[in-house]
Amino acid sequence: MPPPAPRCADWARADPAVRIAIKTLLVVGLVVAAILWLAGLGGTVDVRVGEWFIGISLPAAIVALILLFGTVHGFLRIVSWLRGWPARRRLKREARNRAEADRSLTRALVALAAGRAEQARIEVDRARTLAGDTPHLLLLSAEAARARGDEEAATDAFEKLAEREDSRFLGLRGLLRQAEARGDWAEARRIAAEAHKAEPNAEWLKSARAAAALRERDWGEALALSGPEAPRAALSLAAAAQAEDPLKAAELERQAFMADPSFSPAVVAHARRLVDTGSPRRGRAVLREGWAAAPHPDIGAAYVAEEPDPTTRIKLVDELTRDTASHPESRLLRAQVALQAGLTGRARQDLQAWMETGAADRRCYDLMVQVERADLGDEAAREKEPELLRLAADAPAAPTWRCRRCGAEHNRWKPLCQACDTAGEIGWSGEALRPNEARAG
């Protein structure tokens, strides 16, 4: 039986040396066939130049042309190789330098992570010498300089980063951190504004700009840049105090009240603005809403400030405290206006009701002393004063404006605690009972 014919798969699995030999034989065969074909061609090629005459057979002319083309092509290739030799050497040297710079960069990162700032600086300088001032090397150089306390060198590296178009934001971010660290908030605001132009969508940058505005006491910009978690009522009221346009100030006071109706400074400011612009009824409505949200002495004082008649003031206070009758501030306000109207019995009733709760503060006992003097006279009241003064000394302190961050006390509300330099943290410390708790009492 004859052997089976070879298949394509058998050729693909053949030994590589066999495949090369077969290919070589095919090429040689084609060359020989071409030579024989040229040799069989007839005819000549005549070249005449003046009296000169050259005659050559056609196969020889074809061979000569092929040899001439090969010679010219080889010569041009050699010339091209010689001209590109300096560039190839430069590229090879640059590749070698980049590889060595990468190794130095790795060693610098390891040294920086290990806390060896000086070793990191040496490695970074070597990498910069080899690879130049690339963005990542400049950034690492700045961080290494900051790690060893050389802020001047770090500034130089950050400035070089900021000069490059592709790394401008990185440089500005580093310069911003330096300005914040040294407390130069005016410079921090300027740098943050430039960084915002480079990267408008950077969320952390918005917070940084807001923090710088707070430090510079620019409440309007701080309000515009702050997020929903910021004390917007306090910032709006502070911005209203800085606004030169009365309409803008009025709008900011309204925003402060809407942001937090329990924030008494905003309540009083918004109501006073309405009264001053010819809307006393709306102003009192704002005061009633603020009192319902969180009773405060300033709101009560503002509610009766425009009424000189003591009897009418009592009616106004009854109207104001109708839904918060048992709240300490309601009892205190009713007792105060009753005492001013000469109704000592009514004032005594509210103060005694407050004492019976066991939560009366010093204001209650101090006012009771005045009630006793008005009711009994100075001589008769002296017998009861020592007991009331003793109770006042043991009672909780009167509420006041206190910073929730550091506990510093303030005689009035301020947008910024000067003790800890924190904005929007000053609150009324004695506001423990809310309207729903007062109704339950």
Side-chain angles (χ1 to χ4, degrees):
M1 179 181 294
R7 294 175 299 176
C8 293
D10 296 333
W11 162 256
R13 290 194 297 269
D15 190 286
V18 174
R19 292 202 301 270
I20 292 173
I22 294 173
K23 290 178 181 179
T24 304
L25 289 174
L26 288 174
V27 172
V28 171
L30 290 174
V31 172
V32 171
I35 293 172
L36 293 175
W37 177 75
L38 289 173
L41 292 176
T44 60
V45 176
D46 295 339
V47 179
R48 296 178 180 273
V49 181
E51 297 180 352
W52 295 87
F53 169 77
I54 300 175
I56 187 172
S57 64
L58 179 59
I62 294 175
V63 172
L65 287 175
I66 293 174
L67 292 175
L68 178 61
F69 172 79
T71 302
V72 173
H73 179 70
F75 175 75
L76 294 177
R77 289 292 302 273
I78 292 172
V79 171
S80 177
W81 183 86
L82 291 174
R83 292 183 62 185
W85 180 69
R88 288 195 302 274
R89 283 200 61 186
R90 184 176 64 255
L91 292 174
K92 186 176 180 180
R93 183 173 63 253
E94 290 176 355
R96 185 172 61 251
N97 289 343
R98 280 197 301 270
E100 183 59 31
D102 288 341
R103 288 190 288 269
S104 294
L105 176 60
T106 302
R107 290 193 293 268
L109 288 171
V110 173
L112 195 60
R116 302 194 304 272
E118 184 60 26
Q119 181 64 30
R121 181 194 66 80
I122 294 173
E123 294 294 344
V124 171
D125 289 346
R126 186 166 186 271
R128 290 175 66 181
T129 301
L130 293 170
D133 286 340
T134 60
H136 59 285
L137 286 177
L138 285 171
L139 182 59
L140 185 58
S141 177
E143 294 301 329
R146 295 197 71 190
R148 66 178 187 274
D150 190 353
E151 291 295 330
E152 185 177 350
T155 300
D156 180 67
F158 284 135
E159 287 177 348
K160 288 182 179 179
L161 274 172
E163 291 172 358
R164 299 172 59 104
E165 188 65 27
D166 57 347
S167 61
R168 177 171 175 76
F169 184 72
L170 287 175
L172 291 173
R173 185 178 188 273
L175 293 173
L176 175 60
R177 289 168 55 196
Q178 285 187 306
E180 291 174 342
R182 64 176 181 267
D184 189 352
W185 298 107
E187 180 68 7
R189 290 181 67 185
R190 185 190 66 79
I191 296 173
E194 292 187 21
H196 178 71
K197 295 177 182 177
E199 286 290 339
N201 297 324
E203 288 297 326
W204 69 267
L205 184 57
K206 188 176 181 180
S207 300
R209 293 179 65 197
L214 286 175
R215 296 286 184 171
E216 285 288 290
R217 316 298 196 260
D218 189 343
W219 308 117
E221 182 172 350
L223 175 66
L225 295 172
S226 297
E229 73 286 350
R232 301 193 66 81
L235 292 178
S236 297
L237 188 59
Q242 287 183 336
E244 297 180 358
D245 183 5
L247 295 178
K248 179 65 174 178
E251 174 60 22
L252 287 169
E253 289 168 351
R254 188 191 69 82
Q255 291 179 13
F257 170 71
M258 296 299 294
D260 186 4
S262 66
F263 184 43
S264 58
V267 175
V268 173
H270 183 42
R272 184 181 297 117
R273 181 78 62 174
L274 290 173
V275 171
D276 292 343
T277 54
S279 301
R281 183 174 297 179
R282 290 177 57 196
R284 284 190 172 177
V286 168
L287 291 172
R288 285 194 297 271
E289 185 176 347
W291 183 273
H296 191 277
D298 291 346
I299 299 178
Y303 197 76
V304 298
E306 300 298 324
E307 180 52 61
D309 181 58
T311 303
T312 307
R313 288 163 70 96
I314 291 177
K315 294 180 180 179
L316 289 176
V317 168
D318 289 341
E319 175 188 79
L320 179 65
T321 62
R322 183 179 298 113
D323 295 332
T324 58
S326 59
H327 193 283
E329 297 297 339
S330 296
R331 284 172 169 152
L332 181 63
L333 180 62
R334 287 197 301 268
Q336 287 173 337
V337 296
L339 180 60
Q340 293 169 1
L343 303 179
T344 55
R346 176 168 176 167
R348 187 190 303 275
Q349 180 181 358
D350 275 306
L351 293 176
Q352 287 179 343
W354 189 8
M355 292 178 188
E356 290 172 359
T357 64
D361 60 43
R362 294 174 188 172
R363 296 176 300 171
C364 177
Y365 298 100
D366 291 341
L367 189 59
M368 181 62 82
V369 170
Q370 299 179 37
V371 171
E372 295 292 351
R373 289 176 179 175
D375 195 17
L376 304 177
D378 293 341
E379 292 295 331
R382 285 196 183 97
E383 297 180 3
K384 296 186 177 182
E385 283 186 13
E387 178 65 16
L388 291 173
L389 293 177
R390 185 188 64 80
L391 293 174
D394 295 336
T400 186
W401 293 106
R402 181 176 287 110
C403 177
R404 290 183 286 263
R405 177 66 62 85
C406 68
E409 293 186 2
H410 301 266
N411 57 0
R412 59 183 178 83
W413 179 82
K414 301 174 183 177
L416 187 75
C417 175
Q418 296 176 351
C420 64
D421 211 26
T422 304
E425 289 295 329
I426 297 179
W428 185 249
S429 65
E431 223 167 47
L433 291 178
R434 293 296 180 178
N436 57 340
E437 297 171 328
R439 296 188 190 99

